[in-house]
């Protein structure tokens, strides 16, 4: 309710307004959010290291421009199994070859990647966590996104084999769903079919590598971006396909709000989200967050914070 103001009692006979009139008797206003006229297809895989490296940029992009886009995450099927698998461009022909590659990606992106599981507990296939994602996605897009994030944290930062049914069950349980039931369902025929439908869609979109982001407007014209790119690249692509109007960036939520909805934030994510230097990010964490609302940890030369339940 508006606070009392004596001017509100002054009524003008000519304008028909009680209180202060604007400069125009009639003007157009738009209080609605921008229509989601762009479909963003994000083709990825739970064990795609460059997708993990993209997390900070993708988080900021969806935070600031989410009103324009309808996000559709597609599983691409990076590793069916090791029978005949080879990634010649990266020198990968067996599980042990992945460890050094992952560490290199982690060091370059500063999104921590351990990678030693490829030496002592290698992932046999990325299909099991992909199918779990698809089963959860049938219930909730947001739930599937949370699962994918937790699975990536588990495999990259904490070296867990996310093809192991026990690990998958625990991850699903931790997000408040029935892990045993969902992991069991993920082995059924219909879950396998859901994953195949994603593969078919990825092929129809011309996807060959991960991550691939494709933004398509209502006229089915769009832009394909392959690999982990800068924020400016995705903003420029969005600007191009929404037409003449430049998309307006929403303010990024305060750090406390972001941490409240997240379980864990890595230093690089905080830096990218707020355009802070590493030194500024560490200082702002101390200044903006209550001491009893988070804990700070170190991992592979980087720090991260975890929110504490109130």
């Amino acid at each position: 309710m508006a606070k009392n103001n004596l001017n509100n009692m002054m009524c003008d006979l000519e304008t028909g307004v009680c209180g202060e009139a604007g400069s125009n008797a009639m003007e157009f206003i738009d209080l609605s959010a921008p229509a989601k006229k762009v479909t963003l297809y994000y083709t990825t895989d739970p064990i795609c290291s460059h997708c993990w490296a993209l997390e900070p940029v993708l988080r900021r992009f969806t935070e600031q421009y989410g009103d324009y886009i309808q996000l559709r995450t597609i599983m691409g099927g990076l590793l069916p199994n090791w029978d005949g698998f080879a990634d010649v461009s990266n020198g990968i022909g067996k599980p042990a070859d992945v460890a050094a590659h992952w560490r290199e990606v982690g060091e370059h992106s500063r999104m921590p990647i351990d990678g030693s599981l490829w030496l002592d507990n290698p992932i046999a296939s990325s299909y099991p966590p992909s199918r779990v994602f698809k089963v959860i996605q049938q219930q909730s897009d947001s739930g599937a996104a949370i699962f994918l994030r937790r699975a990536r944290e588990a495999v990259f930062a904490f070296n867990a084999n996310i093809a192991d049914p026990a690990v998958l069950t625990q991850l699903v349980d931790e997000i408040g769903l029935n892990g045993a039931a969902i992991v069991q369902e993920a082995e059924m025929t219909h879950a396998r079919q859901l994953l195949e439908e994603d593969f078919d869609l990825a092929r129809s979109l011309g996807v060959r590598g991960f991550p691939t982001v494709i933004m398509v407007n209502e006229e089915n014209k769009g832009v394909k971006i392959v690999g982990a790119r800068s924020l400016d690249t995705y903003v420029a692509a969005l600007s191009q396909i929404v037409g003449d109007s430049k998309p307006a960036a929403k303010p990024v939520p305060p750090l406390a709000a972001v941490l409240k909805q997240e379980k864990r934030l890595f230093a690089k994510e905080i830096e990218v989200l707020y355009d802070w230097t590493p030194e500024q990010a560490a200082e702002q964490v101390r200044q903006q967050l209550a001491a009893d609302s988070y804990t700070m940890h170190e991992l592979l030369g980087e720090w991260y914070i975890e929110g504490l339940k109130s």
Side-chain angles (χ1 to χ4, degrees):
M1 181 179 294
K3 61 183 179 180
N4 291 333
N5 190 325
L6 293 177
N7 290 332
N8 291 338
M9 298 299 295
M10 302 299 294
C11 300
D12 190 305
L13 295 177
E14 292 186 7
T15 63
V17 174
C18 289
E20 298 179 1
S23 57
N24 299 317
M26 182 174 67
E27 60 182 309
F28 176 77
I29 64 171
D30 184 2
L31 301 179
S32 63
K36 294 181 185 292
K37 296 183 178 180
V38 176
T39 300
L40 190 156
Y41 297 97
Y42 173 41
T43 308
T44 185
D45 187 275
I47 66 168
C48 165
S49 58
H50 286 291
C51 298
W52 177 238
L54 180 60
E55 290 267 309
V57 167
L58 192 61
R59 177 189 294 277
R60 177 161 176 185
F61 181 72
T62 54
E63 283 282 4
Q64 293 200 289
Y65 300 96
D67 285 343
Y68 293 90
I69 62 175
Q70 184 68 48
L71 176 63
R72 184 169 177 184
T73 301
I74 305 168
M75 294 290 104
L78 180 60
L79 179 64
N81 54 61
W82 283 98
D83 293 338
F85 177 87
D87 183 352
V88 177
S89 62
N90 286 308
I92 297 173
K94 59 184 182 297
D97 296 334
V98 182
H101 171 67
W102 270 25
R103 290 300 290 267
E104 183 180 21
V105 173
E107 290 169 3
H108 178 75
S109 67
R110 293 188 44 234
M111 287 293 283
I113 302 179
D114 186 310
S116 58
L117 84 162
W118 291 108
L119 303 175
D120 50 35
N121 185 24
I123 296 168
S125 170
S126 66
Y127 284 24
S130 297
R131 290 194 297 267
V132 169
F133 173 89
K134 293 304 299 181
V135 169
I136 298 174
Q137 191 180 45
Q138 296 305 295
Q139 304 174 19
S140 166
D141 283 334
S142 60
I146 294 170
F147 164 76
L148 184 58
R149 169 65 185 209
R150 299 292 174 262
R152 283 183 169 146
E153 291 172 349
V155 68
F156 293 115
F158 303 112
N159 221 36
N161 186 333
I162 59 170
D164 185 332
V167 173
L168 287 171
T169 299
Q170 181 177 348
L171 288 171
V172 178
D173 283 342
E174 288 175 355
I175 65 172
L177 300 175
N178 187 328
I182 288 175
V183 171
Q184 183 178 14
E185 184 179 351
E187 293 301 316
M188 296 180 179
T189 301
H190 78 94
R192 296 174 183 272
Q193 180 59 38
L194 288 171
L195 188 57
E196 288 295 332
E197 290 171 2
D198 268 18
F199 297 165
D200 290 343
L201 178 56
R203 281 191 290 268
S204 73
L205 292 169
V207 174
R208 295 185 177 182
F210 317 122
T212 294
V213 169
I214 298 175
M215 292 186 234
V216 181
N217 63 20
E218 292 176 310
E219 288 77 40
N220 280 328
K221 296 179 180 179
V223 177
K224 179 165 69 173
I225 304 166
V226 181
R229 305 301 174 186
S230 68
L231 177 66
D232 289 344
T233 302
Y234 300 101
V235 175
L238 180 62
S239 299
Q240 182 177 339
I241 61 176
V242 297
D244 295 333
S245 60
K246 183 179 179 180
K250 291 193 305 183
V252 178
L255 180 58
V258 177
L259 184 60
K260 185 176 181 180
Q261 72 180 20
E262 290 291 340
K263 178 179 180 181
R264 186 178 291 115
L265 290 171
F266 291 87
K268 182 65 174 182
E269 295 181 290
I270 297 172
E271 294 165 26
V272 171
L273 195 57
Y274 298 102
D275 279 331
W276 290 335
T277 65
E279 295 74 20
Q280 288 172 328
E283 179 61 26
Q284 289 298 321
V285 165
R286 289 189 288 268
Q287 289 186 12
Q288 295 193 24
L289 300 179
D292 60 354
S293 69
Y294 74 99
T295 56
M296 182 175 283
H297 310 269
E298 289 191 10
L299 179 67
L300 299 172
E302 297 289 341
W303 57 264
Y304 67 93
I305 57 175
E306 291 185 338
L308 298 176
K309 294 181 179 179
S310 56

